[in-house]
Amino acid sequence: MLDHTVARWVKAHGGSAALAELAGWASLAEGHGDSALPLSGEAAGRHGMPPLDERTLAQVMADPMVTVVTAGSGQDTEANAATPFVIEDGHFYLLRNHRHEGAVARHVRARRAAAESQPAGSPADIDVLFQGDRSERVDAQRAAVARVSGKRLFVLTGGPGTGKTTTVLRMLMLLLKRRAGSDAAPPVVRIGAPTGKAAQRLSESLRDGAKLMRDGQTTLPLEWHPSLEASLNAHASTLHRLLGSRGQRGGFVHHAGNPVPADIVIVDEASMVDLAMLRHLLDALREDATLILVGDADQLTSVGTGSVLLDLVGAMEAEADPGLVRLTHSFRADRSLLPLNEAVRLGGIEVFTRACAGAGGHVQRVHIDAPHQLHAALAGWARDLADGLRLAGAFSELPGGADGAPEQRAVLAALDGLRERQLLCALREGEFGAEVANRQLESLIRVDSSGDGLSLSQGEWYPGRAVMITRNDYTSGLFNGDVGICLRDADGTLGVWFAVTVAASAGGFAEEGGTVAAEGGRRAICFAPGALPDYQGGFAITIHKSQGSEYREVAVLLPPDPENRILSRQLLYTGVSRARQKVQIWSSEAVLRRAITTPARRSSGLRAKLDEHTSS
């Protein structure tokens, strides 16, 4: 509908019929994540667009509503183009996307050029931060810590379990200690992520890393303690809140004329950042601020436009840029899934088959291409899920503590039990989607819940029910992606409990409307079911929603049609790599093969612009 509206708008403003059609296709492509529409080469005809003949292309390029930019000219459409469309290097752009790409490329060039020739972290400092570990497994981590000094842009990428967060902690400690040794004021550190849940997870991981550092075999010297504490006190928030989103009014409080008051900005889950958000972030940072982007470049790209982390990593790797480090060694205790993840990441179907065989019981392939097969698989998954929830105490009445409130350990045990197993779906809607799968799981879990001596609750709530928040709510302290569980206390009252980190809650998140209990570094917050912000069922979620999370066991459900456009290598990699110990893949052979052998490629000119700038 929007695409047709764009085409009609072009015609209403005097554009040719050919331009109107092309603009409609560009709008459609943007909806699929492309920032530009290829007009020539193998990629032409994307999304079903008929190829343009030379006469039509010449007509479009001569249209007054189009600005033609010579590739590599550095022409700035931010200031010079008054037309709504741009053609550059065989790509057709909506003006805003061309401006975003140009701005990101300019910022990246400036930040790379501004890198100061500061001495790398000394071997003695690196040894302290790694507690004397000089083994090959931490070589890349040590390199990242050593290289970060003086950089205005640093990118740290790697798969799950490769130690990205602990590396970030050490990088930050080194930067803070060096700053403390100068006459400069203590730096302001801000942590951002595309979602509130991702920001909380980073805070929790930093805290866990700090505990390991304190409890390690080698005691952390006292002179490092202030840097460690300062690292943990960094404020974490969504990128929208970091920039001061004005909500429905549009725009941000912080921009080039009013920069973010921060010396060091760390962005986690950077693969989820879209083109426009990266542009706004780069606009809003001070020129002398250090930006550290952290994420897995091989995961799914953002829901919005572009694949900026993938493009940036590709450009920096091509130039062997010291401001980029890729972590490859996994520190997970169970490494049986690593060959599987690597096979999917690289797209090798034969290697994948061998990896499945080599993983033994850690990998299970379940053939599903019909509804009755899916229903049977869901019934089996529900039985195992219910057994785990029962073992975690989710179906039992919560024991009371000395103050009469539910015992914190029991609540956290139930929440941890919920995180043991997760069904991940490629689709959200339809018979093979997360919504339908969740409804079936809920009905089955509800029956199991009632078998533990608890009467069936009236309405939709019952002990053991899982929900996922779908909207950030700063008043309650709940964020898009937070998963909670419904539990019954000794008085028979049902409440929905969530676990958040103390560090995240200390950053200004209120707890109005919830009862708070705390133990260690986590808080469990209870809400009456009617007081929750927007939510959905949490027993089955989309693979997109799972990014940044890990579970002991996952099942990945793919659609039955091998021609489904959603299938891609990145989608499957993101799903299977959420598992720490066991993974089930629910699909037909044809669908699985299509997913592994189909890389998701978004069309854009950003990589070319980055290559131009890095080689100049």
Side-chain angles (χ1 to χ4, degrees):
M1 180 64 70
L2 176 61
D3 314 328
H4 293 292
T5 301
V6 170
R8 288 196 297 269
W9 181 89
V10 171
K11 289 182 179 179
H13 287 76
S16 67
L19 177 61
E21 182 178 0
L22 188 56
W25 282 110
S27 175
L28 174 68
E30 184 184 48
H32 286 283
D34 294 343
S35 61
L37 188 64
L39 300 178
S40 59
E42 293 183 2
R46 242 172 118 72
H47 313 296
M49 184 189 82
L52 298 181
D53 57 49
E54 293 185 6
R55 179 175 175 275
T56 304
L57 179 58
Q59 179 186 357
V60 169
M61 294 178 69
D63 195 293
M65 298 181 74
V66 176
T67 296
V68 179
V69 175
T70 303
S73 66
Q75 182 175 337
D76 185 6
T77 57
E78 192 75 38
N80 300 327
T83 63
F85 308 108
V86 178
I87 292 178
E88 180 182 11
D89 195 23
H91 287 77
F92 182 86
Y93 288 87
L94 305 180
L95 177 60
R96 61 173 174 269
N97 289 329
H98 190 267
R99 287 179 168 176
H100 290 333
E101 283 189 0
V104 168
R106 287 193 301 274
H107 281 301
V108 168
R109 176 176 57 184
R111 289 191 165 276
R112 296 183 68 214
E116 301 173 12
S117 57
Q118 291 188 5
S122 70
D125 284 344
I126 304 300
D127 278 342
V128 168
L129 291 170
F130 285 86
Q131 298 182 308
D133 188 354
R134 293 191 175 188
S135 64
E136 184 179 349
R137 64 179 192 156
V138 296
D139 278 351
Q141 291 190 1
R142 290 175 66 102
V145 177
R147 294 180 193 173
V148 71
S149 294
K151 298 291 189 299
R152 292 292 175 259
L153 172 66
F154 195 93
V155 179
L156 183 69
T157 188
T162 54
K164 294 189 294 293
T165 305
T166 55
T167 305
V168 167
L169 175 62
R170 289 165 171 138
M171 292 164 68
L172 188 52
M173 289 177 63
L174 182 69
L175 292 174
L176 292 171
K177 186 172 183 291
R178 284 200 164 182
R179 182 74 170 251
S182 67
D183 295 331
V188 177
V189 181
R190 294 291 303 271
I191 295 172
T195 67
K197 183 61 178 175
Q200 286 190 338
R201 280 194 295 262
L202 180 58
S203 292
E204 182 178 354
S205 297
L206 288 173
R207 191 198 68 244
D208 292 343
K211 184 176 185 300
L212 289 174
M213 194 169 289
R214 290 194 188 101
D215 299 343
Q217 295 179 349
T218 304
T219 304
L220 186 69
L222 289 176
E223 64 264 26
W224 285 92
H225 285 200
S227 298
L228 182 61
E229 294 305 318
S231 300
L232 297 180
N233 290 331
H235 180 79
S237 69
T238 65
L239 290 177
H240 278 85
R241 203 172 201 203
L242 172 68
L243 296 179
S245 172
R246 292 195 174 100
Q248 294 182 349
R249 291 179 295 168
F252 298 94
V253 171
H254 295 295
H255 44 74
N258 181 32
V260 174
D263 302 285
I264 302 170
V265 175
I266 301 169
V267 177
D268 196 21
E269 298 296 340
S271 65
M272 299 167 63
V273 178
D274 62 29
L275 176 64
M277 177 53 71
L278 182 59
R279 186 263 171 91
H280 292 310
L281 174 66
L282 290 167
D283 280 349
L285 295 182
R286 296 200 323 254
E287 292 182 359
D288 62 344
T290 296
L291 173 63
I292 301 174
L293 299 177
V294 185
D296 186 349
D298 296 305
Q299 275 190 183
L300 280 167
T301 51
S302 65
V303 175
T305 303
S307 51
V308 291
L309 182 64
L310 184 63
D311 292 339
L312 184 56
V313 167
M316 296 177 77
E317 281 187 328
E319 292 290 320
D321 190 324
L324 167 75
V325 169
R326 181 186 287 272
L327 306 179
T328 57
H329 178 87
S330 176
F331 291 84
R332 285 178 174 171
D334 191 329
R335 299 170 58 84
S336 57
L337 296 181
L338 297 183
L340 175 79
N341 294 345
E342 189 68 2
V344 175
R345 187 180 77 84
L346 298 177
I349 188 67
E350 291 79 12
V351 178
F352 170 84
T353 301
R354 292 196 297 271
C356 288
H362 294 275
V363 177
Q364 182 181 359
R365 292 170 61 178
V366 181
H367 181 86
I368 293 178
D369 61 5
H372 72 277
Q373 295 170 325
L374 175 57
H375 296 162
L378 287 171
W381 184 261
R383 286 192 296 271
D384 292 339
L385 181 57
D387 289 343
L389 291 174
R390 182 178 293 107
L391 186 64
F395 298 156
S396 305
E397 290 182 349
L398 287 171
D403 58 355
E407 187 178 283
Q408 176 74 357
R409 290 181 181 178
V411 175
L412 293 177
L415 283 162
D416 290 341
L418 183 62
R419 295 172 59 182
E420 286 288 286
R421 299 169 62 86
Q422 185 65 59
L423 175 61
L424 305 179
C425 305
L427 302 175
R428 181 171 64 88
E429 300 175 338
E431 198 164 16
F432 279 67
E435 293 178 351
V436 172
N438 187 79
R439 285 198 295 269
Q440 183 171 343
L441 290 174
E442 282 203 347
S443 64
L444 294 168
I445 299 297
R446 183 180 184 121
V447 171
D448 277 302
S449 169
S450 66
D452 281 54
L454 301 172
S455 60
L456 276 174
S457 308
Q458 297 297 318
E460 61 180 322
W461 294 99
Y462 55 90
R465 186 189 185 201
V467 295
M468 173 180 280
I469 300 301
T470 58
R471 176 179 59 84
N472 293 337
D473 188 284
Y474 290 96
T475 300
S476 65
L478 296 178
F479 300 93
N480 184 9
D482 280 342
V483 175
I485 189 168
C486 181
L487 301 173
R488 187 192 300 271
D489 65 19
D491 296 329
T493 303
L494 291 174
V496 187
W497 291 85
F498 297 82
V500 298
T501 66
V502 171
S505 294
F509 304 146
E511 288 116 8
E512 297 178 15
T515 303
V516 181
E519 180 178 87
R522 292 194 295 171
R523 294 185 179 193
I525 306 178
C526 181
F527 293 84
L532 292 176
D534 296 344
Y535 63 88
Q536 65 185 40
F539 288 131
I541 63 175
T542 63
I543 296 174
H544 272 93
K545 283 283 189 181
S546 74
Q547 291 186 83
S549 299
E550 290 186 353
Y551 313 92
R552 183 184 64 82
E553 180 175 5
V554 303
V556 179
L557 172 61
L558 301 179
D561 179 13
E563 300 302 316
N564 193 301
R565 295 173 62 96
I566 201 170
L567 293 173
S568 73
R569 182 183 306 165
Q570 287 87 342
L571 178 83
L572 183 59
Y573 170 80
T574 303
V576 299
S577 63
R578 300 308 95 199
R580 295 192 305 271
Q581 295 183 13
K582 297 180 68 176
V583 62
Q584 298 182 27
I585 302 176
W586 297 2
S587 77
S588 69
E589 181 68 27
V591 166
L592 183 59
R593 180 176 291 272
R594 179 60 179 265
I596 293 175
T597 58
T598 305
R601 291 190 178 96
R602 289 189 168 179
S603 178
S604 83
L606 179 60
R607 173 62 192 273
K609 292 181 175 66
L610 291 171
D611 286 341
E612 290 170 9
H613 290 164
T614 55
S615 61
S616 61

